[in-house]
Amino acid sequence: MKPSLYILTLLFLLLPPLASGATLHVPSQYATIQEAINAASTTDTVMIANGTYTGTGNKNLEFYGKAITVQSSNGPDNCIIDCQSSGRGAYFHHNEGRGTVLKGVTIRNGNMPGGTGNGGGIYIASNCSPTITECRITNCSAGNNGGAVFGDASCNPSIYDTYISNNGALRGAGVSSAGGEFVACKVFYNSAASGANFSHGGGFYLTGSTVVTDCEIAFNDADSGGGIEIIGTHDLINCLFHGNTALSDQTDQGGGAAYATNADATFSSCTFSGNDAMDGCTLFNSMSDVTMINCIIWDSASNGFASSGGNTLCSYSNVRRTSGVFPGTGNINADPLFVSGPLGTYYLSQTAAGQASNSPCFNTGSTSAVAICFNGYAGGSGPIMVCMDSRTTRTDDGYDIGTVDMGYHYRLSASPPTATPTRTPTLTPTRTPSRTPTLTPTTAPGDPTNTPLPTRTPTPIPTRTPTYTPTHRPTSTPTTAPGDPTNTPLPPTPTPECETLGCTVMMPTDNFHPGDPCFCDVTICNPGAETYPDVPVFVILDVYGSYFFAPSFSEFDFYLRTIVPGAETIAVLPSFTWPEGAGSASGMMWYAAMTNAEVTDLFGSFGSFQFGWSE
């Protein structure tokens, strides 16, 4: 079936600018990752099978400006690029854009030594903007900048949902970057060990202009800026800083969680606790303008903030002091009553969740939770906008409704947590701190927060999706999908986490073989309390430019659903066993989206899934 002009118009509304390319397999088709990249063309996918990859062709990877995806077939735990302490994992220096994607791999044991060594795990050169998502970068080191990741001047990478742990460098033991955005990352146990030189930024060393959202920055250390050191213009939104240490005993240095010098920075809805330094356990402000709003600053009462010519403004924040309240609108000074919950130790006590009393940070922020939004991550379906009313400070996962609570908001805990990285020795020189840090032990939450929109914007406060009354359309009757495969009872697929209004497409794998179980489910998530009646739900199978509309797969069709609070799963393809004799193919695409009644605008977020098969 070839689509009509009307259907093509609809597809332009529904489908992102994504072309289906070929899939090149490593090592079954190409012996090394680099060989597959060299052979790939625009929109192709280099699919890396489970294994540990070492040696020439499997490190120092060059992408040559190609808009391709290089990804693992089964996640970063199962696909490891081991640099064996010589060279780095990837080198982006051919004007790569957002369409150049590195996904789901672990890079470990990268090493770029010497006084000019940058980017022990990944190097991103000027004018490069690659996408790095769902990766792990660990045990990498650089003699100068960026133990795990280095971004040069005028770079603009998007790094989502990535673990950066146990790395070392002089500046930015975890990340040193002059631009880009970092979303839903966990930056743990990085050490800017410096030897005779003064070190900066244990977790991050950021210059230029960046956005850091939904990140957890914990147990990092450096002489100044144990968690982060910032120069330039930066927005940090819904971040959690704990257990970071500034080791310096020098005057006008410190900043256990953050050190700002010649910076213009805003921290919004962040929590600081258990950070330590001789000067400024939370923040050392040197000649900078720093704004904090809706934050919890619960480090040392007498040494939370320190300054050398800087200006720190706080509003609607809980700032720990020996007495009195930090100047500013809506500020308080009261024990936040942290309690442990499913994903960590910085939830807020609330009677509605079963605790004895409400935290003073409950319902005391600057505006409504629905009005505070930031870039988040929706797993395989890409970047989304997340608002605080879809996040929680409660141990029972209750949404933050009404006036926003102060401090960091957790994602919901519906998905089982992924193990937190354990601390292992860094590759940088060991040194003896000039003072012994006093840390409040905490349990580091393990579930990586889910990563953003390509352009950097200030903290957005968008209007929520409007309510509408659709015109009723008759419900389509489901029929058997093309090919009428033999039905085989299979266990249901897990329901994705429901935290953002929209659709998610799920299949058991992206490359089927004879005998594999197969099905296709679309899960509709409605995290709010509102019900939307009679919503058209389009599920489209793209077979090399021919479009088949579920459930009939033979005509223009859609599902009509009343979208109630919670998650609903539509079984688009019934369960069956992949047959023999199907040959090989790649680049098939599923798309799923809700629209308004007139089928003119998307409603909620968009889902997609690429798959293929082989003998």
Side-chain angles (χ1 to χ4, degrees):
M1 180 190 84
K2 284 294 182 182
S4 67
L5 180 61
Y6 175 75
I7 294 174
L8 285 173
T9 302
L10 172 70
L11 289 168
F12 277 116
L13 289 171
L14 295 183
L15 306 187
L18 174 68
S20 299
T23 300
L24 291 69
H25 293 275
V26 178
S28 61
Q29 293 177 303
Y30 297 89
T32 68
I33 302 169
Q34 188 65 62
E35 285 180 32
I37 293 173
N38 293 347
S41 301
T42 300
T43 75
D44 285 353
T45 297
V46 173
M47 188 68 67
I48 311 171
N50 292 0
T52 298
Y53 293 83
T54 61
T56 302
N58 291 316
K59 62 180 179 179
N60 300 316
L61 299 175
E62 299 258 8
F63 286 72
Y64 299 113
K66 297 181 180 182
I68 59 174
T69 297
V70 176
Q71 70 175 77
S72 66
S73 61
N74 199 28
D77 288 340
N78 301 293
C79 180
I80 299 167
I81 296 172
D82 191 337
C83 301
Q84 299 178 304
S85 300
S86 177
R88 59 170 69 94
Y91 186 23
F92 298 96
H93 64 122
H94 292 281
N95 297 316
E96 287 84 2
R98 286 287 187 270
T100 301
V101 180
L102 179 63
K103 179 178 180 180
V105 302
T106 291
I107 296 173
R108 73 183 184 194
N109 298 329
N111 183 28
M112 298 301 295
T116 59
N118 296 320
I122 294 174
Y123 189 113
I124 303 165
S126 298
N127 303 313
C128 294
S129 307
T131 300
I132 299 166
T133 177
E134 299 173 26
C135 291
R136 295 185 179 179
I137 309 171
T138 185
N139 283 359
C140 295
S141 63
N144 195 22
N145 295 304
V149 177
F150 174 72
D152 212 338
S154 303
C155 72
N156 189 27
S158 289
I159 300 180
Y160 317 151
D161 194 20
T162 290
Y163 274 54
I164 297 170
S165 63
N166 297 292
N167 303 287
L170 182 62
R171 298 180 191 85
V175 175
S176 173
S177 186
E181 62 181 347
F182 304 85
V183 181
C185 294
K186 290 192 178 294
V187 183
F188 290 167
Y189 298 120
N190 301 284
S191 180
S194 61
N197 297 314
F198 196 88
S199 66
H200 304 263
F204 284 99
Y205 180 77
L206 300 177
T207 60
S209 179
T210 65
V211 179
V212 181
T213 61
D214 221 18
C215 290
E216 185 173 357
I217 302 162
F219 310 115
N220 305 286
D221 68 70
D223 285 325
S224 68
I228 187 170
E229 182 160 334
I230 48 180
I231 304 167
T233 304
H234 308 278
D235 289 327
L236 297 99
I237 308 163
N238 199 49
C239 291
L240 174 59
F241 294 81
H242 61 98
N244 301 289
T245 306
L247 300 169
S248 174
D249 59 358
Q250 297 183 22
T251 304
D252 292 344
Q253 299 291 342
Y259 184 93
T261 179
N262 296 308
D264 183 355
T266 299
F267 293 82
S268 174
S269 296
C270 295
T271 290
F272 302 82
S273 182
N275 302 289
D276 189 57
M278 179 169 286
D279 282 329
C281 292
T282 301
L283 170 71
F284 192 97
N285 185 336
S286 174
M287 306 300 293
S288 298
D289 290 319
V290 176
T291 299
M292 293 193 172
I293 183 169
N294 297 322
C295 290
I296 299 174
I297 297 98
W298 210 247
D299 290 316
S300 168
S302 60
N303 188 25
F305 292 154
S307 178
S308 175
N311 184 31
T312 302
L313 301 177
C314 288
S315 62
Y316 298 97
S317 294
N318 186 10
V319 184
R320 187 177 184 183
R321 307 190 85 193
T322 52
S323 63
V325 176
F326 194 89
T329 304
N331 291 333
I332 60 174
N333 177 14
D335 186 339
L337 301 180
F338 291 131
V339 290
S340 295
L343 300 180
T345 58
Y346 295 101
Y347 290 85
L348 301 178
S349 175
Q350 295 178 50
T351 57
Q355 285 85 45
S357 58
N358 284 327
S359 164
C361 303
F362 167 64
N363 274 357
T364 50
S366 63
T367 185
S368 63
V370 71
I372 299 177
C373 304
F374 55 90
N375 287 346
Y377 187 62
S381 60
I384 58 172
M385 186 67 70
V386 173
C387 298
M388 289 300 191
D389 66 330
S390 66
R391 292 299 179 96
T392 186
T393 61
R394 291 170 42 162
T395 56
D396 65 350
D397 276 349
Y399 295 114
D400 185 356
I401 304 298
T403 301
V404 71
D405 300 340
M406 293 178 181
Y408 175 75
H409 285 52
Y410 286 96
R411 68 200 292 266
L412 303 188
S413 61
S415 299
T418 302
T420 301
T422 56
R423 180 153 187 141
T424 57
T426 62
L427 300 178
T428 49
T430 303
R431 59 179 170 160
T432 303
S434 53
R435 59 190 296 269
T436 302
T438 304
L439 293 179
T440 303
T442 57
T443 301
D447 192 9
T449 322
N450 284 333
T451 23
L453 300 178
T455 54
R456 178 185 185 276
T457 56
T459 309
I461 306 179
T463 304
R464 299 290 278 177
T465 304
T467 304
Y468 60 86
T469 305
T471 304
H472 183 77
R473 293 175 181 261
T475 305
S476 302
T477 303
T479 60
T480 304
D484 195 18
T486 304
N487 289 340
T488 303
L490 293 168
T493 181
T495 302
E497 179 180 355
C498 181
E499 64 173 30
T500 302
L501 183 67
C503 297
T504 302
V505 184
M506 297 186 69
M507 297 186 82
T509 182
D510 57 9
N511 186 36
F512 293 93
H513 299 87
D516 286 348
C518 183
F519 54 80
C520 179
D521 289 349
V522 169
T523 297
I524 303 168
C525 168
N526 177 11
E530 190 167 0
T531 295
Y532 304 96
D534 298 333
V535 175
V537 180
F538 285 86
V539 182
I540 304 170
L541 176 61
D542 174 1
V543 183
Y544 302 131
S546 291
Y547 303 102
F548 300 88
F549 291 76
S552 68
F553 293 100
S554 61
E555 60 186 13
F556 177 75
D557 209 350
F558 55 87
Y559 300 91
L560 196 66
R561 286 290 193 271
T562 295
I563 309 302
V564 298
E568 175 197 3
T569 298
I570 300 172
V572 178
L573 286 185
S575 300
F576 67 96
T577 299
W578 197 263
E580 300 278 353
S584 299
S586 62
M588 308 297 163
M589 293 294 302
W590 288 103
Y591 301 104
M594 298 180 286
T595 73
N596 62 358
E598 295 75 26
V599 195
T600 58
D601 294 295
L602 287 179
F603 180 60
S605 66
F606 178 94
S608 64
F609 192 96
Q610 179 173 296
F611 71 101
W613 58 88
S614 55
E615 292 291 354

